[in-house]
Amino acid sequence: MDVVYSELHALQNGAYELIGGQLQPPVEKPERAETIRAAVEAAGFGPLLSPESFPDDTITRVHTPEFVAFLSTAWDRWVEAHGPYDALPLNWPVRTFRQKIPEAIDGLLSYYSLDAGTPITAGTWKAARTAVDVALTGARLIQGGKRHAFALCRPPGHHAAADLYGGYCFLNNAAIAAQYLRDNGAAKVAVLDVDYHHGNGTQAIFYDRADVFFASVHADPLQEYPFFLGYADETGTGAGEGCNANYPLRWGTGWETGYADALDDACRRIHGWGAEAVVVSLGVDTFEQDPISQFKLTTPDYTRMGERIARLGLPTLFVMEGGYDVAALGDNVVNTLTGYLNASVVA
Ligand code: Q9C
Ligand code: ZN
């Protein structure tokens, strides 16, 4: 299986993160992608491909031009206002506030963000923009006839909506790749999101559309981030009614205690809907030892996950999302891809 990777991911390297009321080193750090790269190479995956460059209009098919302009200039504006420290928002336009776009950089960060856990640094734009190229290079491989590819993206993307960043995500790599597949020949594309957290950004981007099916297996938003989207009664709207499927699962869920059944149902829905290709938002933060998560998947369970995805029988683009136990990340990703390949009809 081809693996697309760029070392420029390391340009996203925040200084600290507020976790449980304490400033700590960020869990979304460069070592994540480096350890996955080393593991997939050691497991014989490859070749390792560098991303091609894609034009900005592939991004603005999914994100607003205003949001892209904001993200690409936010660091310079922040440094001018404050100095060379991580750019972070401090308040949000929640209930009772107006949704009017401010002028000052602090207000813009507030307007375009959904949390304070996603630092914009000197290299954020370059890293996020390159992650899009990584995902699109994978999508181009699929569009060109490959049965599968792995886009080793970092920073991740699935929490980013048309004009929102957060949850360690800036540009929605998987959504941009799905849109690329739509724009280059696939009539119906599914996104299967197996990250521990609900893929609120991807859901929002495609919520009113009948040409992209979104299915997500994740921790119950009653208990877990992002808290305000991801319930089972979110089924799509307008033309997209029936094209969104959420599987919220309680803290403590393991493979045999709810996860496998939910994944199976999500895959059945995607198959029944008639998808021509699937983009997998591959988060492995469902792992039992993940530092910020509460599911109980084991390293062998990821082989089963890959096998189930393979049984869809569809051209498959894996796009890396979350997963924060650096010691196990490589094994969990390799097992997913190996399980997929070994069960795949066309290996
Ligand atoms: N208690 C992804 O997995 N905050 N994003 C967690 C820790 C945000 C996760 C705070 C988690 C975002 C791509
Ligand atoms: Zn996650």
Side-chain angles (χ1 to χ4, degrees):
M1 185 186 306
D2 290 352
V3 177
V4 191
Y5 174 82
S6 166
E7 63 193 11
L8 295 181
H9 73 80
L11 291 170
Q12 173 60 9
N13 192 8
Y16 32 68
E17 178 185 0
L18 195 56
I19 300 182
Q22 293 189 299
L23 281 177
Q24 298 184 14
V27 296
E28 205 298 285
K29 56 191 174 186
E31 293 92 311
R32 295 180 57 247
E34 283 153 18
T35 197
I36 295 168
R37 179 198 54 76
V40 295
E41 280 198 301
F45 286 89
L48 213 63
L49 304 173
S50 293
E52 300 163 46
S53 293
F54 289 80
D56 283 345
D57 62 13
T58 54
I59 298 176
T60 50
R61 291 287 289 143
V62 157
H63 295 283
T64 68
E66 294 77 13
F67 176 68
V68 173
F70 155 75
L71 268 187
S72 63
T73 56
W75 173 252
D76 287 344
R77 295 190 59 180
W78 174 265
V79 172
E80 202 175 310
H82 299 288
Y85 318 105
D86 289 10
L88 292 170
L90 272 174
N91 74 309
W92 289 275
V94 296
R95 290 177 298 286
T96 76
F97 278 116
R98 291 177 63 182
Q99 303 294 316
K100 190 171 157 64
I101 303 181
E103 290 176 3
I105 182 61
D106 291 71
L108 289 167
L109 291 166
S110 292
Y111 180 80
Y112 284 118
S113 69
L114 64 97
D115 70 11
T118 312
I120 292 177
T121 69
T124 295
W125 173 249
K126 184 72 177 164
R129 185 64 183 75
T130 304
V132 167
D133 282 337
V134 168
L136 286 171
T137 301
R140 179 175 278 169
L141 290 169
I142 300 297
Q143 185 253 331
K146 295 268 190 182
R147 288 293 294 183
H148 37 249
F150 176 36
L152 210 182
C153 292
R154 184 181 169 273
H158 76 147
H159 292 303
D163 62 351
L164 270 185
Y165 76 97
Y168 318 145
C169 305
F170 302 94
L171 298 170
N172 195 317
N173 309 309
I176 293 165
Q179 182 65 49
Y180 179 90
L181 292 173
R182 275 289 297 107
D183 290 339
N184 291 277
K188 300 176 83 175
V189 176
V191 179
L192 172 63
D193 190 323
V194 297
D195 187 278
Y196 171 77
H197 306 92
H198 177 245
N200 61 283
T202 314
Q203 170 172 311
I205 285 163
F206 297 120
Y207 203 60
D208 62 356
R209 287 174 48 173
D211 57 332
V212 179
F213 191 100
F214 179 69
S216 181
V217 182
H218 53 267
D220 192 334
L222 284 170
Q223 295 179 303
E224 192 54 86
Y225 184 97
F227 295 115
F228 303 107
L229 210 63
Y231 291 96
D233 65 357
E234 297 158 12
T235 57
T237 191
E241 181 61 56
C243 298
N244 197 89
N246 282 328
Y247 298 85
L249 302 172
R250 302 294 287 180
W251 278 358
T253 295
W255 181 259
E256 297 287 354
T257 55
Y259 197 94
D261 287 345
L263 178 64
D264 189 61
D265 205 77
C267 289
R268 284 170 191 274
R269 289 290 306 279
I270 287 170
H271 179 81
W273 179 72
E276 295 171 18
V278 62
V279 175
V280 178
S281 267
L282 177 60
V284 293
D285 38 9
T286 46
F287 183 53
E288 56 183 348
Q289 307 275 22
D290 193 275
I292 63 167
S293 306
Q294 306 289 335
F295 278 2
K296 298 291 173 204
L297 266 60
T298 65
T299 294
D301 290 333
Y302 290 97
T303 308
R304 300 174 185 117
M305 185 185 294
E307 289 168 357
R308 183 62 190 90
I309 293 167
R311 288 206 300 277
L312 283 168
L314 293 172
T316 304
L317 174 64
F318 291 93
V319 176
M320 198 67 219
E321 300 282 0
Y324 307 100
D325 182 16
V326 172
L329 261 181
D331 286 345
N332 293 340
V333 170
V334 162
N335 278 7
T336 307
L337 301 179
T338 303
Y340 169 89
L341 275 187
N342 289 344
S344 185
V345 189
V346 186

